[in-house]
């Protein structure tokens, strides 16, 4: 049977008379490559299936493309479509590398193993084996495969083709969440000593990154902390089941792509806890729905420190590929003029470093920090010099803020602060951590903070918000809470009614 027609634009894909039962999985192919799998909705009154694109994909669609839809292994619709007036061929690929991408189970645009060089999967598993040995040798921590790295091998002995990483976990010896968190930080320190680069998602989730270029990674490994508390098993970040229903130890060997890796004692029990009772049936449309009781505990016990980092990193990769903007903000221009000559400045949330570079060019010594690794890698290569240093810091983490306090103390001088629209991007936890840092730095006589916040309008896209408007009254209240006072500055009309520029000082008793 020949495939029927379809139509598409930048908002949706429409399949006339598709005859795909509602609830069935169907896959969308771009140029013959699967990029998205979704469950069919109820057809409209005209019998057509209307599939809105995921926001993360919709914002990237441009040009022309050959699309096809498959159901039950058969192509049911296909056509060449134009998303807009751009005559070029659309390719869903990673900026900077051209590596093919898909819509993953989180609704984000990401890589997958499918269609990649088989040697890459072997490299991932090589590093997983090495990591298992490192933590057993240094800390007596016994890692085992979990998540997708367990699911595929239990089903057919191989990694899932649509996965993009390797998942490992360990069962904590502790039952108090505070002790569980301290153990995870001890693991992080040990891994740093062993030369690993890590990103912390929460106090129970570490990610190890394996760079593949200036602004990209070849792959990453996840380490999840599992623990028991009050008779319940917790499998970060999602699972919460009665402890007697999930048996992890003693670990037993599991065949994974032709090699043996440690797995849980009862794989079926763990997979049911993670994916639900229907885990044995492949479901390419699966997405995690964390029960509220589990979500509350994970958030308040282990928190979440990695808000929007991956979105910012994607944003910076696109900016770098298109030619990074080097024009400084109005705040940086004003601060450079108002600072005493040869001042030392801490630039918080520096991004690609245009403001930091301007401050340094005006004779100031600058320590610029951000949590976006591609932005920092690019800035170090193109902008850094003796007067401008770039470092990674996550301002939602008190440990990183304390490190910045120590770094600023090592500079042995008054340190001023510069932050352009930082508070529009931070979570409430980030506000508290950052304001505590600013309060400490402004205790030095003569120190000031140059801040600008957006107070109207939202910047971003359908898939994520870069800047949220700040309630001006709340912002002033938060400053006062940390013994800080703000003097509103004239921005020469640059911000109009959309932003406020302030000079912040420490209130004196």
């Amino acid at each position: 049977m020949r495939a029927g027609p379809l139509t598409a634009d930048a908002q949706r894909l429409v399949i006339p008379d598709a005859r795909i039962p509602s609830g069935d999985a169907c896959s969308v192919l771009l140029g013959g490559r699967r990029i998205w799998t979704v469950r069919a909705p109820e057809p409209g009154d005209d019998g057509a299936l209307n599939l809105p694109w995921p926001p993360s994909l919709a914002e990237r669609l441009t040009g022309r493309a050959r699309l096809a839809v498959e159901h039950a292994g058969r192509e049911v619709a296909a056509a060449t479509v134009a998303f807009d007036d751009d005559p070029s061929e659309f390719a869903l690929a990673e900026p900077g590398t051209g590596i093919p991408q898909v819509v993953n189970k989180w609704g984000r645009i990401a890589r997958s193993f499918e269609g990649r060089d088989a040697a890459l999967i072997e490299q991932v598993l090589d590093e997983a084996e090495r990591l298992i040995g490192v933590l057993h040798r240094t800390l007596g921590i016994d890692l085992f495969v979990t998540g997708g790295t367990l699911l595929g091998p239990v089903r057919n002995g191989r990694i899932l083709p649509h996965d993009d990483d390797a998942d490992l976990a360990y069962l904590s010896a502790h039952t108090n969440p505070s002790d569980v968190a301290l153990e995870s930080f001890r693991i992080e320190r040990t891994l740093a000593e062993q030369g690993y680069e890590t990103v912390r998602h929460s106090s129970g989730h570490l990610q190890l990154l394996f760079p593949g270029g200036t602004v990209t990674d070849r792959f990453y490994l996840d380490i999840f902390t599992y623990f028991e508390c009050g008779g319940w098993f917790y499998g970060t970040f999602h699972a919460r089941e009665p402890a007697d229903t999930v048996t992890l130890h003693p670990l037993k060997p599991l065949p994974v792509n032709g090699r043996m890796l440690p797995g849980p004692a009862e794989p079926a029990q763990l997979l049911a806890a993670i994916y639900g009772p229907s885990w044995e049936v492949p479901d390419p449309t699966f997405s995690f729905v964390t029960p509220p009781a589990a979500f509350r505990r994970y958030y308040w016990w282990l928190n979440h420190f990695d808000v929007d980092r991956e979105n910012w990193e994607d944003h910076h990769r696109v900016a770098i590929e298109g030619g990074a903007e080097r024009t400084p903000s109005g705040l940086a221009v004003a601060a450079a003029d108002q600072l005493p000559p040869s001042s030392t400045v801490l630039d918080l949330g520096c991004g690609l470093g245009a403001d930091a570079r301007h401050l340094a060019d005006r004779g100031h010594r600058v320590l610029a920090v951000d949590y976006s690794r591609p932005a920092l890698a690019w800035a170090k290569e193109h902008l850094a010099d003796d007067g401008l240093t770039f470092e990674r810091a996550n301002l939602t983490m008190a440990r990183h803020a304390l490190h910045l306090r120590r770094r600023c103390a090592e500079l042995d001088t008054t340190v001023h602060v510069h932050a352009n629209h930082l508070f529009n991007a931070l979570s409430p936890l980030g506000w508290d951590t950052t304001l505590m840092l600013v309060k400490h730095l402004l205790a030095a006589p003569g120190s000031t903070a140059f801040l600008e916040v957006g107070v109207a309008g939202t910047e971003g896209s359908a898939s994520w918000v870069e800047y949220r408007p700040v309630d001006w009254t709340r912002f002033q209240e938060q400053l006062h809470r940390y013994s800080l006072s703000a003097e509103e500055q004239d921005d020469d009309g640059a911000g109009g009614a959309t932003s406020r520029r302030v000079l912040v000082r420490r209130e004196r008793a």
Side-chain angles (χ1 to χ4, degrees), residues 77-315:
T80 297
V81 303
F83 299 116
D84 54 25
D85 295 333
D86 187 338
S88 62
E89 189 77 11
F90 172 71
L92 187 60
E94 184 176 73
T97 67
I99 293 173
Q101 295 179 304
V102 299
V103 180
N104 69 11
K105 59 180 174 289
W106 309 107
R108 296 189 68 254
I109 303 298
R111 302 177 185 179
S112 77
F113 290 139
E114 192 170 19
R116 302 285 300 281
D117 185 350
L120 176 68
I121 298 178
E122 294 307 306
Q123 292 171 22
V124 172
L125 295 177
D126 286 344
E127 290 293 349
E129 278 193 299
R130 176 172 174 258
L131 178 61
I132 289 167
V134 166
L135 284 187
H136 178 77
R137 183 179 70 253
T138 57
L139 293 175
I141 297 289
D142 291 320
L143 295 173
F144 54 88
V145 296
T146 188
T149 313
L150 177 65
L151 180 60
V154 168
R155 283 179 178 162
N156 61 19
R158 304 194 67 79
I159 296 290
L160 295 171
H162 56 265
D163 215 339
D164 62 351
D165 66 347
D167 298 323
L168 301 170
Y170 66 94
L171 180 63
S172 175
H174 304 285
T175 58
N176 183 296
S178 295
D179 294 325
V180 170
L182 289 172
E183 178 183 50
S184 179
F185 282 105
R186 185 165 63 252
I187 291 173
E188 183 180 19
R189 290 193 297 273
T190 299
L191 292 174
E193 293 168 358
Q194 296 292 320
Y196 286 100
E197 182 179 1
T198 63
V199 164
R200 180 167 288 282
H201 286 254
S202 75
S203 294
H205 179 191
L206 276 173
Q207 196 168 78
L208 278 64
L209 303 155
F210 296 83
T214 302
V215 298
T216 63
D217 296 305
R218 286 183 297 141
F219 56 84
Y220 57 91
L221 305 177
D222 283 314
I223 300 178
F224 297 102
T225 304
Y226 291 173
F227 61 99
E228 295 181 3
C229 180
W232 289 84
F233 163 77
Y234 292 90
T236 309
F237 53 94
H238 170 76
R240 179 178 183 263
E241 298 292 336
D244 59 4
T245 66
V246 182
T247 304
L248 300 180
H249 283 273
L251 302 182
K252 66 180 184 181
L254 180 77
V256 180
N257 284 49
R259 67 180 79 196
M260 303 303 289
L261 294 178
E266 298 292 341
Q269 293 181 359
L270 180 56
L271 289 170
I274 297 173
Y275 297 106
S278 60
W279 66 268
E280 292 178 272
V281 180
D283 180 6
T285 68
F286 175 83
S287 61
F288 287 107
V289 179
T290 305
F295 179 86
R296 289 195 305 271
R297 287 166 172 82
Y298 284 125
Y299 183 81
W300 292 112
W301 287 347
L302 305 179
N303 223 294
H304 180 41
F305 304 119
D306 206 41
V307 178
D308 279 336
R309 176 188 58 83
E310 291 176 312
N311 289 322
W312 275 111
E313 292 190 344
D314 288 345
H315 171 85

Side-chain angles (χ1 to χ4, degrees), residues 2-123:
R2 291 184 59 188
L6 62 80
T7 61
D9 56 23
Q11 284 75 48
R12 61 187 55 82
L13 181 151
V14 179
I15 312 171
D17 194 28
R19 300 183 183 179
I20 301 175
S22 62
D24 275 19
C26 54
S27 295
V28 177
L29 283 70
L30 172 69
R33 182 175 66 85
R34 187 188 72 85
I35 62 166
W36 178 43
T37 301
V38 62
R39 292 201 175 278
E42 292 283 351
D45 293 339
D46 59 358
L49 288 186
N50 190 315
L51 300 175
W53 296 115
S56 60
L57 179 59
E59 65 197 32
R60 292 182 56 174
L61 294 174
T62 185
R64 300 169 60 82
R66 178 69 180 176
L67 296 179
V69 176
E70 288 185 352
H71 170 249
R74 183 175 63 87
E75 185 177 285
V76 296
T80 297
V81 303
F83 299 116
D84 54 25
D85 295 333
D86 187 338
S88 62
E89 189 77 11
F90 172 71
L92 187 60
E94 184 176 73
T97 67
I99 293 173
Q101 295 179 304
V102 299
V103 180
N104 69 11
K105 59 180 174 289
W106 309 107
R108 296 189 68 254
I109 303 298
R111 302 177 185 179
S112 77
F113 290 139
E114 192 170 19
R116 302 285 300 281
D117 185 350
L120 176 68
I121 298 178
E122 294 307 306
Q123 292 171 22

Side-chain angles (χ1 to χ4, degrees), residues 32 73 228 362 415 440:
E228 295 181 3
R362 295 300 299 270
V415 176
H440 174 82

